[in-house]
């Protein structure tokens, strides 16, 4: 059984593959996630141009 957070991460990995800065399509789609207990951050760094995208959610 997958959690809501796992499904959200999978969504980013499958739908947000194209870098908005350089147009590179990252087929691996490796999004990282981290939390400090108050915020959850999903982050992707483009392997072509190093542009960073983040989605942040407040958990409070």
């Amino acid at each position: 059984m997958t959690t809501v957070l796992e499904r959200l991460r999978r969504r980013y990995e499958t739908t947000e593959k194209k870098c908005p800065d350089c147009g590179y399509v990252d087929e691996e789609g490796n999004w990282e996630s981290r939390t400090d207990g108050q915020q959850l951050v999903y982050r992707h760094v483009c392997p072509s141009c190093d542009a960073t995208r983040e989605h942040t959610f407040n958990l409070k």
Side-chain angles (χ1 to χ4, degrees):
M1 185 170 165
T2 61
T3 68
V4 171
L5 300 177
E6 290 168 330
R7 289 193 305 265
L8 182 58
R9 181 179 178 170
R10 189 176 312 127
R11 179 186 171 274
Y12 291 140
E13 291 177 340
T14 59
T15 63
E16 294 197 25
K17 293 183 175 190
K18 185 176 182 180
C19 176
D21 288 359
C22 73
Y24 177 79
V25 178
D26 183 6
E27 291 300 331
E28 298 296 319
N30 295 317
W31 283 79
E32 299 174 359
S33 60
R34 70 178 189 278
T35 184
D36 62 6
Q38 295 183 20
Q39 285 188 327
L40 173 64
V41 179
Y42 289 94
R43 182 174 187 251
H44 179 265
V45 178
C46 176
S48 178
C49 72
D50 290 327
T52 301
R53 290 182 283 167
E54 288 188 349
H55 296 285
T56 304
F57 299 92
N58 292 317
L59 301 175
K60 282 185 153 186

